[in-house]
Amino acid sequence: VFRSVMAISRDSVHKRKNTGGRVTRWFSKRRHCIGRPAANTKLGAKKTTVVTGRGGNQKFRALRLDSGNFSWATEVCARKVRILEVAYNATSNELVRTKTLTKGTICYVEATPFRAFYEQKYGVQLEGKEDTATDVTNKSEGWKAKRESRREGKSVDEKFMAQFANGRLLAMISSRPGQCGRADGYLLEGRELEFYERKTHK
């Protein structure tokens, strides 16, 4: 006995017209119309699978991820860091509760790699909310002059730098974990940081 099985379909033949009338099906189901279940990538030890798509191309379906490459735009710096927690998702709070990673997810990432980069580049020690000069006793005069020139006229985003005291930074995932198998993104700064800080504190 043949039993029809409901499947995920991306065609529009099964839908009704805008007027409510039935659409006459002019072709049967085709493979190019299939859809697949959502990846629902979770926060955890990395696990990805390979999905073969149209034309033999491959998609990398991330089932679990715990790290990614995140960019600090104003400093032109990117580091691989751990994702600590899902903070906000505009789609649904259910995605926050289940720690689901999607494109556009606001999450907390560890601050240590970016802290080390900043201290090495500018020669300052990030302690709490204030920057104090690092130990320069064993440094050359050229090293000191280069760091001094870098600090001159540099504007600092106070709200962004204050996050280093907690050891974690707010970031947005800009890649598609269910399609490319990665959770890459960028650190939030300026007005965007202020906006999402209000969202996460609600």
Side-chain angles (χ1 to χ4, degrees):
V1 178
F2 174 77
R3 297 181 60 186
S4 63
V5 180
M6 295 296 293
I8 300 175
S9 177
R10 301 184 67 249
D11 68 3
S12 59
V13 183
H14 67 282
K15 296 184 177 182
R16 289 179 177 264
K17 301 177 183 179
N18 290 336
T19 57
R22 300 286 294 270
V23 176
T24 303
R25 177 176 282 276
W26 64 92
F27 70 93
S28 59
K29 292 183 178 180
R30 299 286 192 270
R31 178 167 172 75
H32 68 261
C33 295
I34 67 170
R36 297 186 181 93
N40 291 329
T41 307
K42 305 297 181 184
L43 183 60
K46 181 178 179 179
K47 181 180 180 182
T48 61
T49 60
V50 178
V51 178
T52 302
R54 186 174 174 89
N57 294 308
Q58 290 183 330
K59 292 184 178 184
F60 300 94
R61 187 85 76 230
L63 304 180
R64 294 193 302 268
L65 289 173
D66 59 357
S67 62
N69 291 329
F70 286 84
S71 172
W72 186 355
T74 56
E75 294 294 338
V76 196
C77 163
R79 293 290 184 272
K80 183 177 181 179
V81 294
R82 288 187 301 115
I83 301 174
L84 304 177
E85 182 186 352
V86 177
Y88 175 74
N89 195 306
T91 303
S92 172
N93 288 333
E94 187 73 7
L95 299 179
V96 179
R97 187 185 67 82
T98 57
K99 298 182 180 180
T100 302
L101 302 178
T102 64
K103 179 176 180 178
T105 295
I106 306 300
C107 58
Y108 285 106
V109 299
E110 64 173 339
T112 307
F114 294 106
R115 176 197 297 269
F117 161 80
Y118 193 86
E119 292 174 354
Q120 191 275 336
K121 182 176 181 180
Y122 294 102
V124 296
Q125 184 74 30
L126 296 179
E127 292 288 349
K129 296 183 179 181
E130 295 182 0
D131 298 347
T132 57
T134 188
D135 183 19
V136 295
T137 54
N138 298 327
K139 304 297 183 180
S140 66
E141 292 300 322
W143 188 95
K144 296 176 185 178
K146 181 180 286 187
R147 270 65 186 176
E148 283 290 339
S149 64
R150 288 175 179 172
R151 288 196 294 265
E152 285 180 4
K154 176 172 175 55
S155 59
V156 178
D157 187 345
E158 297 295 340
K159 286 198 172 184
F160 179 84
M161 302 304 289
Q163 295 181 100
F164 282 101
N166 299 325
R168 58 184 195 172
L169 308 171
L170 263 183
M172 175 183 283
I173 296 176
S174 57
S175 66
R176 302 170 68 192
Q179 303 291 321
C180 64
R182 300 168 62 93
D184 300 337
Y186 60 93
L187 304 181
L188 299 179
E189 302 178 79
R191 296 178 63 182
E192 195 174 18
L193 174 61
E194 296 176 7
F195 176 82
Y196 284 112
E197 274 187 337
R198 291 196 300 269
K199 290 291 186 180
T200 55
H201 291 330
K202 284 185 179 180

